Every structure is written in C-alpha cells, then in structure tokens.
Amino acid sequence: MNAITPGMVCGHHHLYSALARGMPPPPATPTDFPSILELVWWRLDAALDLEMIRWSAMLGALEALEQGTTAIIDHHESPNAIEGSLSVIAEACAEVGVRVVCAYGVTDRHGPDGARRGLAENERFLRAGGRGLVGIHAAFTCADETLEAAAGLAADLGVGVHVHVCEDRVDRDAPTRLQPLARDDWLLAHGVHLSEDAGLPGTIAHNPRSNLNNAVGYARPARFANRVVLGSDGIGAAMLDEFRVAYVCHRADDVTASPETAWGWLEAGRELVPETANDEVEWSYPVADPWHLAFTPGVRPLRVIVDGEVVVEDGRATRVDAAEVRAKAADQATRLHARL
Ligand SMILES: [Zn+2]
C-alpha cells in the first residue's frame, strides 16, 4: 500500500522563472543579492511577454503537479506585460489542473506609473473574481504611498498581501515601514533578516533552497511565533525536496532539530489553500513519515486527484500532453533568452 497524503502547497513561487533555465550568463558576475536581482531577475522579468508568461506558467504548473503540489501561491512581475498577466497565469494553471493564488508584485522601480499599473492589475484580476492576494515586490523598491495603496486595496478587497520581507539586508527597513500596514492575512516571503520581535503579523514563507542559492543567510524560521510555510521562490515546486532542504538547513543550525518541524511547515501550507486537504496524492514510497522522507530521495507521485478529478495517473499528467508543454515552453525560452 503506497502512502496517500493531501496535496502539497508551494507557499511562495515565481512561475515566470520556469523559463530562466538555460538563460545566457549575466553581463557581469553578481556579487551580492542586489546585483543578483539587477543582473539576472530584473533583466529576465523585463523581457517577458504574455505568450512567454503563459508557457512558463504551463510548465511550472505541470512540474508542480508531477511532484504532488496541487496549489501554488505565485508572485508575478513582468513590467513590460502587466495588463492581463495574472489571468494568463490563472488560466494556464487551470488548464493543467493546479490551484493557484496569484499576485502582481507592485514596485516603484519603473516609476510611479509602473506601480500604478501593477496595482491596477491586482485590482482588475481580483475584482473579476480571480483568486489572489495583492502583491508587493518588497518595501525597499516601493515608496510609502505605494505600500499604503497596496495595503489599502487588499483590505478593501478582503484579501492579504504577498510581499518579500527581509530576504537580504538591503530590505532591513521593511519591518518598520510595513508594521503599521500588515495584517494576519499577509504572506511574508523569506524573513531571513526579520527580527522575531518586529511585530509583523502574517505567515512567513520560508524558501531554504533559494536562500542558500542567493547566499542571503539562514532564516532560522523555528524562532518565529508566526505561522511558517515552505516555498520554492521559483525553483520548481517539488515540495518534498524543499522539505528535505528545510530540514537539513534547520539541522545545520541546530543538531537537535527533528524533521517533524520542517514537515509541520510543509503541512501548514495547506491552511493557506484549505481545499488542498481534499486533494489526494498517492506516492511511490509506502510511508509518509518525516524521518523516513527526510532521507529517502526520489519519492514521486503516482496518482494525483484535485477537486475529485484525476490529474496525474501513473506519474503522468492527464489534462495536458507533458511533452507538448515542454516543447512549447522551450520555444518560448529560446525567444526570451534571445532578448537578454
Ligand atoms: Zn520570491
């Protein structure tokens, strides 16, 4: 008898980064987090158009489902293709059969008009009935008026805010600036340099693999009283892998750490998308015990059921042709990389 669990949730993703793999090297080697943003991600996101966004979301959604992840909490930015972008992502995920909670990351790094258009995209999508949060890139790229406008829009629409907080020291002023605005329904990505007594309410999305990759430090999420969930920050949505990395990072910091803690963070993600409790994933490994899974590579879903529908059977997506999605995404990646 194989283990069956509810669906996994990726608590912080960037589906647009699915096409980043294979991109040309940056014009200079980044030496810190701000230069990683400037030389890699802010060049990539500026080159996106809606067709690229569609196929990055299709590929990201497919890869999530193939790993038993039935819900993605996405944070999107495409400064030259803002209008309609959240609908493109939502439609792609629906086509593959994955639940998605969308947000457009508002920022002033393209001037006040860019911030206004980002805010308008969140509002358009949410008022049309889309499932989402209001996105803010991060406090350090936003004026106070932009932070206030995004928080106000979220409160008016009865949703939370999805924002990067203290991923790196560059964002160290975020707690003071966000504290008067934040609420329990906010989703705070990273929190690496967030003090546990900063008084910020909300859920913290811990992204251990991305934090290692960006050399920003270890968030030590066990210290927070806030709910903690796991995210990938755009590096796929294989949440069992992310759990293993979360465990081993915790262990590196505290040799008495148990994988039960990281497993608890993984499970807490379901509280953000409660319907996933009824999704079913049948795994190739017969136990769903954190101590086993922390040391068992290669565990994969055989069958995934979302909202009563079988969306993965024998490890293969049923609603889309995986080979076709990969081929079309590769075509769009080629177009994207040619612009960099
Ligand atoms: Zn992120």
Short mmCIF file of all heavy atoms in Angstrom, two decimals, residues 122-166:
data_model
loop_
_atom_site.label_atom_id
_atom_site.label_comp_id
_atom_site.label_asym_id
_atom_site.label_seq_id
_atom_site.Cartn_x
_atom_site.Cartn_y
_atom_site.Cartn_z
N ASN A 122 -3.58 43.90 -10.14
CA ASN A 122 -4.10 43.17 -8.98
C ASN A 122 -5.61 43.43 -8.84
O ASN A 122 -6.39 42.49 -8.65
CB ASN A 122 -3.40 43.65 -7.69
CG ASN A 122 -2.01 43.05 -7.52
OD1 ASN A 122 -1.86 41.84 -7.38
ND2 ASN A 122 -1.00 43.91 -7.48
N GLU A 123 -5.98 44.69 -8.94
CA GLU A 123 -7.38 45.05 -8.72
C GLU A 123 -8.28 44.45 -9.79
O GLU A 123 -9.34 43.89 -9.50
CB GLU A 123 -7.53 46.58 -8.66
CG GLU A 123 -8.97 46.99 -8.42
CD GLU A 123 -9.14 48.46 -8.04
OE1 GLU A 123 -8.17 49.24 -8.23
OE2 GLU A 123 -10.24 48.81 -7.56
N ARG A 124 -7.86 44.58 -11.05
CA ARG A 124 -8.64 44.04 -12.16
C ARG A 124 -8.88 42.54 -11.97
O ARG A 124 -10.00 42.05 -12.07
CB ARG A 124 -7.88 44.27 -13.48
CG ARG A 124 -8.56 43.74 -14.73
CD ARG A 124 -7.61 43.53 -15.89
NE ARG A 124 -6.65 42.47 -15.66
CZ ARG A 124 -6.93 41.15 -15.69
NH1 ARG A 124 -8.16 40.73 -15.92
NH2 ARG A 124 -5.99 40.25 -15.46
N PHE A 125 -7.81 41.82 -11.67
CA PHE A 125 -7.88 40.36 -11.54
C PHE A 125 -8.79 39.96 -10.37
O PHE A 125 -9.65 39.09 -10.50
CB PHE A 125 -6.47 39.81 -11.35
CG PHE A 125 -6.41 38.32 -11.16
CD1 PHE A 125 -6.60 37.46 -12.22
CD2 PHE A 125 -6.17 37.78 -9.90
CE1 PHE A 125 -6.54 36.08 -12.05
CE2 PHE A 125 -6.10 36.40 -9.72
CZ PHE A 125 -6.30 35.55 -10.79
N LEU A 126 -8.59 40.61 -9.24
CA LEU A 126 -9.34 40.24 -8.04
C LEU A 126 -10.82 40.62 -8.16
O LEU A 126 -11.70 39.84 -7.79
CB LEU A 126 -8.72 40.89 -6.80
CG LEU A 126 -7.33 40.33 -6.44
CD1 LEU A 126 -6.60 41.28 -5.47
CD2 LEU A 126 -7.44 38.93 -5.82
N ARG A 127 -11.09 41.80 -8.73
CA ARG A 127 -12.49 42.22 -8.87
C ARG A 127 -13.23 41.35 -9.87
O ARG A 127 -14.44 41.19 -9.78
CB ARG A 127 -12.58 43.69 -9.31
CG ARG A 127 -12.25 44.65 -8.18
CD ARG A 127 -12.88 46.04 -8.41
NE ARG A 127 -12.36 47.02 -7.47
CZ ARG A 127 -12.79 47.18 -6.21
NH1 ARG A 127 -13.75 46.41 -5.75
NH2 ARG A 127 -12.24 48.10 -5.44
N ALA A 128 -12.50 40.76 -10.82
CA ALA A 128 -13.14 39.87 -11.80
C ALA A 128 -13.36 38.48 -11.22
O ALA A 128 -13.81 37.57 -11.92
CB ALA A 128 -12.26 39.78 -13.05
N GLY A 129 -13.02 38.29 -9.93
CA GLY A 129 -13.28 37.00 -9.29
C GLY A 129 -12.07 36.10 -9.23
O GLY A 129 -12.17 34.94 -8.82
N GLY A 130 -10.90 36.61 -9.65
CA GLY A 130 -9.69 35.79 -9.61
C GLY A 130 -9.27 35.51 -8.17
O GLY A 130 -9.54 36.31 -7.28
N ARG A 131 -8.63 34.36 -7.99
CA ARG A 131 -8.15 34.02 -6.66
C ARG A 131 -6.76 34.60 -6.49
O ARG A 131 -5.86 34.31 -7.28
CB ARG A 131 -8.07 32.50 -6.54
CG ARG A 131 -7.48 32.07 -5.22
CD ARG A 131 -8.30 31.01 -4.64
NE ARG A 131 -7.92 30.68 -3.29
CZ ARG A 131 -8.04 29.47 -2.80
NH1 ARG A 131 -8.49 28.51 -3.58
NH2 ARG A 131 -7.75 29.22 -1.56
N GLY A 132 -6.58 35.42 -5.47
CA GLY A 132 -5.26 36.00 -5.33
C GLY A 132 -5.08 36.82 -4.08
O GLY A 132 -5.97 36.92 -3.22
N LEU A 133 -3.92 37.39 -3.99
CA LEU A 133 -3.53 38.34 -2.95
C LEU A 133 -3.05 39.58 -3.69
O LEU A 133 -2.74 39.51 -4.88
CB LEU A 133 -2.39 37.75 -2.11
CG LEU A 133 -2.68 36.41 -1.42
CD1 LEU A 133 -1.38 35.75 -0.94
CD2 LEU A 133 -3.63 36.61 -0.25
N VAL A 134 -2.95 40.70 -3.01
CA VAL A 134 -2.33 41.87 -3.63
C VAL A 134 -0.81 41.72 -3.45
O VAL A 134 -0.34 41.48 -2.34
CB VAL A 134 -2.84 43.17 -3.00
CG1 VAL A 134 -2.04 44.37 -3.51
CG2 VAL A 134 -4.33 43.36 -3.31
N GLY A 135 -0.08 41.83 -4.55
CA GLY A 135 1.38 41.64 -4.48
C GLY A 135 2.13 42.96 -4.31
O GLY A 135 1.73 43.99 -4.86
N ILE A 136 3.19 42.90 -3.53
CA ILE A 136 4.16 44.00 -3.45
C ILE A 136 5.51 43.34 -3.68
O ILE A 136 5.78 42.29 -3.09
CB ILE A 136 4.15 44.67 -2.06
CG1 ILE A 136 2.79 45.32 -1.75
CG2 ILE A 136 5.28 45.70 -1.95
CD1 ILE A 136 2.70 45.89 -0.31
N HIS A 137 6.37 43.94 -4.52
CA HIS A 137 7.67 43.32 -4.68
C HIS A 137 8.37 43.25 -3.33
O HIS A 137 8.60 42.17 -2.79
CB HIS A 137 8.56 44.04 -5.71
CG HIS A 137 9.96 43.55 -5.64
ND1 HIS A 137 11.00 44.32 -5.18
CD2 HIS A 137 10.48 42.31 -5.86
CE1 HIS A 137 12.10 43.58 -5.15
NE2 HIS A 137 11.81 42.38 -5.57
N ALA A 138 8.73 44.39 -2.79
CA ALA A 138 9.39 44.45 -1.48
C ALA A 138 9.40 45.91 -1.08
O ALA A 138 9.38 46.81 -1.93
CB ALA A 138 10.83 43.93 -1.57
N ALA A 139 9.46 46.15 0.21
CA ALA A 139 9.42 47.53 0.70
C ALA A 139 10.56 48.36 0.09
O ALA A 139 10.39 49.53 -0.24
CB ALA A 139 9.48 47.55 2.22
N PHE A 140 11.74 47.73 -0.08
CA PHE A 140 12.90 48.54 -0.50
C PHE A 140 12.81 49.02 -1.94
O PHE A 140 13.62 49.87 -2.34
CB PHE A 140 14.22 47.80 -0.23
CG PHE A 140 14.58 46.70 -1.19
CD1 PHE A 140 15.40 46.94 -2.29
CD2 PHE A 140 14.12 45.40 -1.00
CE1 PHE A 140 15.75 45.93 -3.17
CE2 PHE A 140 14.45 44.38 -1.87
CZ PHE A 140 15.27 44.65 -2.96
N THR A 141 11.85 48.51 -2.73
CA THR A 141 11.67 49.06 -4.08
C THR A 141 10.37 49.85 -4.19
O THR A 141 9.94 50.16 -5.30
CB THR A 141 11.69 47.96 -5.17
OG1 THR A 141 10.54 47.12 -5.03
CG2 THR A 141 12.96 47.12 -5.12
N CYS A 142 9.76 50.17 -3.07
CA CYS A 142 8.47 50.88 -3.10
C CYS A 142 8.51 52.13 -2.24
O CYS A 142 9.09 52.14 -1.15
CB CYS A 142 7.35 49.99 -2.56
SG CYS A 142 6.90 48.65 -3.65
N ALA A 143 7.82 53.18 -2.73
CA ALA A 143 7.59 54.38 -1.93
C ALA A 143 6.51 54.07 -0.89
O ALA A 143 5.72 53.14 -1.06
CB ALA A 143 7.13 55.52 -2.84
N ASP A 144 6.49 54.85 0.16
CA ASP A 144 5.49 54.65 1.21
C ASP A 144 4.07 54.70 0.65
O ASP A 144 3.21 53.91 1.05
CB ASP A 144 5.63 55.72 2.31
CG ASP A 144 6.82 55.44 3.23
OD1 ASP A 144 7.22 54.26 3.33
OD2 ASP A 144 7.33 56.39 3.84
N GLU A 145 3.85 55.62 -0.32
CA GLU A 145 2.49 55.75 -0.88
C GLU A 145 2.08 54.47 -1.60
O GLU A 145 0.91 54.08 -1.58
CB GLU A 145 2.40 56.92 -1.88
CG GLU A 145 2.86 58.27 -1.35
CD GLU A 145 4.38 58.43 -1.32
OE1 GLU A 145 4.98 58.50 -2.41
OE2 GLU A 145 4.96 58.45 -0.21
N THR A 146 3.05 53.81 -2.24
CA THR A 146 2.74 52.57 -2.95
C THR A 146 2.40 51.45 -1.95
O THR A 146 1.45 50.69 -2.15
CB THR A 146 3.94 52.17 -3.83
OG1 THR A 146 4.20 53.24 -4.74
CG2 THR A 146 3.67 50.89 -4.60
N LEU A 147 3.18 51.37 -0.88
CA LEU A 147 2.89 50.36 0.15
C LEU A 147 1.50 50.59 0.73
O LEU A 147 0.72 49.64 0.90
CB LEU A 147 3.94 50.42 1.27
CG LEU A 147 5.39 50.15 0.89
CD1 LEU A 147 6.30 50.28 2.11
CD2 LEU A 147 5.54 48.76 0.26
N GLU A 148 1.19 51.85 0.99
CA GLU A 148 -0.12 52.17 1.57
C GLU A 148 -1.25 51.85 0.59
O GLU A 148 -2.29 51.33 0.99
CB GLU A 148 -0.17 53.65 1.97
CG GLU A 148 0.62 53.95 3.23
CD GLU A 148 1.02 55.42 3.37
OE1 GLU A 148 0.39 56.27 2.69
OE2 GLU A 148 1.97 55.69 4.14
N ALA A 149 -1.03 52.16 -0.68
CA ALA A 149 -2.07 51.89 -1.68
C ALA A 149 -2.32 50.39 -1.83
O ALA A 149 -3.48 49.94 -1.92
CB ALA A 149 -1.67 52.49 -3.03
N ALA A 150 -1.26 49.60 -1.83
CA ALA A 150 -1.42 48.14 -1.97
C ALA A 150 -2.11 47.56 -0.74
O ALA A 150 -3.02 46.73 -0.86
CB ALA A 150 -0.05 47.49 -2.18
N ALA A 151 -1.68 48.00 0.44
CA ALA A 151 -2.30 47.50 1.67
C ALA A 151 -3.77 47.90 1.72
O ALA A 151 -4.63 47.10 2.12
CB ALA A 151 -1.56 48.04 2.89
N GLY A 152 -4.05 49.12 1.27
CA GLY A 152 -5.43 49.60 1.28
C GLY A 152 -6.31 48.81 0.31
O GLY A 152 -7.44 48.44 0.64
N LEU A 153 -5.77 48.53 -0.88
CA LEU A 153 -6.52 47.75 -1.87
C LEU A 153 -6.83 46.35 -1.32
O LEU A 153 -7.95 45.86 -1.43
CB LEU A 153 -5.73 47.65 -3.17
CG LEU A 153 -6.37 46.77 -4.26
CD1 LEU A 153 -7.69 47.36 -4.73
CD2 LEU A 153 -5.40 46.59 -5.44
N ALA A 154 -5.82 45.74 -0.70
CA ALA A 154 -6.02 44.39 -0.14
C ALA A 154 -7.10 44.42 0.93
O ALA A 154 -7.99 43.55 0.95
CB ALA A 154 -4.70 43.86 0.43
N ALA A 155 -7.04 45.41 1.80
CA ALA A 155 -8.05 45.50 2.87
C ALA A 155 -9.44 45.71 2.28
O ALA A 155 -10.41 45.07 2.70
CB ALA A 155 -7.69 46.63 3.83
N ASP A 156 -9.53 46.57 1.26
CA ASP A 156 -10.84 46.82 0.62
C ASP A 156 -11.41 45.55 -0.01
O ASP A 156 -12.62 45.35 0.00
CB ASP A 156 -10.69 47.86 -0.52
CG ASP A 156 -10.46 49.26 0.02
OD1 ASP A 156 -10.62 49.46 1.25
OD2 ASP A 156 -10.10 50.16 -0.78
N LEU A 157 -10.53 44.75 -0.59
CA LEU A 157 -10.99 43.55 -1.30
C LEU A 157 -11.07 42.32 -0.38
O LEU A 157 -11.45 41.24 -0.82
CB LEU A 157 -10.06 43.25 -2.49
CG LEU A 157 -10.03 44.33 -3.58
CD1 LEU A 157 -8.99 44.00 -4.64
CD2 LEU A 157 -11.41 44.48 -4.23
N GLY A 158 -10.64 42.47 0.87
CA GLY A 158 -10.73 41.37 1.82
C GLY A 158 -9.73 40.25 1.56
O GLY A 158 -10.00 39.09 1.85
N VAL A 159 -8.58 40.62 1.00
CA VAL A 159 -7.51 39.62 0.78
C VAL A 159 -6.24 40.11 1.46
O VAL A 159 -6.14 41.27 1.86
CB VAL A 159 -7.24 39.37 -0.72
CG1 VAL A 159 -8.49 38.85 -1.42
CG2 VAL A 159 -6.71 40.63 -1.40
N GLY A 160 -5.26 39.24 1.55
CA GLY A 160 -3.98 39.61 2.14
C GLY A 160 -3.04 40.20 1.12
O GLY A 160 -3.38 40.40 -0.05
N VAL A 161 -1.83 40.48 1.57
CA VAL A 161 -0.76 41.00 0.72
C VAL A 161 0.36 39.95 0.68
O VAL A 161 0.66 39.32 1.70
CB VAL A 161 -0.23 42.34 1.29
CG1 VAL A 161 1.13 42.70 0.69
CG2 VAL A 161 -1.24 43.45 1.03
N HIS A 162 0.92 39.75 -0.50
CA HIS A 162 2.03 38.81 -0.68
C HIS A 162 3.28 39.64 -0.99
O HIS A 162 3.35 40.27 -2.05
CB HIS A 162 1.68 37.86 -1.84
CG HIS A 162 2.65 36.74 -2.05
ND1 HIS A 162 2.44 35.76 -3.00
CD2 HIS A 162 3.83 36.44 -1.47
CE1 HIS A 162 3.44 34.90 -2.97
NE2 HIS A 162 4.31 35.29 -2.06
N VAL A 163 4.25 39.66 -0.10
CA VAL A 163 5.37 40.59 -0.22
C VAL A 163 6.67 39.92 0.26
O VAL A 163 6.66 39.14 1.20
CB VAL A 163 5.09 41.88 0.60
CG1 VAL A 163 4.74 41.58 2.06
CG2 VAL A 163 6.24 42.88 0.54
N HIS A 164 7.78 40.23 -0.43
CA HIS A 164 9.09 39.80 0.06
C HIS A 164 9.47 40.69 1.24
O HIS A 164 9.37 41.92 1.14
CB HIS A 164 10.15 39.98 -1.03
CG HIS A 164 9.96 39.11 -2.23
ND1 HIS A 164 9.37 39.56 -3.40
CD2 HIS A 164 10.27 37.82 -2.45
CE1 HIS A 164 9.34 38.57 -4.29
NE2 HIS A 164 9.87 37.49 -3.74
N VAL A 165 9.93 40.08 2.32
CA VAL A 165 10.31 40.84 3.52
C VAL A 165 11.66 40.36 4.03
O VAL A 165 11.83 39.18 4.36
CB VAL A 165 9.25 40.69 4.64
CG1 VAL A 165 9.71 41.41 5.91
CG2 VAL A 165 7.90 41.25 4.20
N CYS A 166 12.62 41.27 4.06
CA CYS A 166 13.93 40.98 4.67
C CYS A 166 14.58 39.72 4.10
O CYS A 166 15.15 38.93 4.84
CB CYS A 166 13.82 40.87 6.19
SG CYS A 166 13.31 42.40 6.97
#
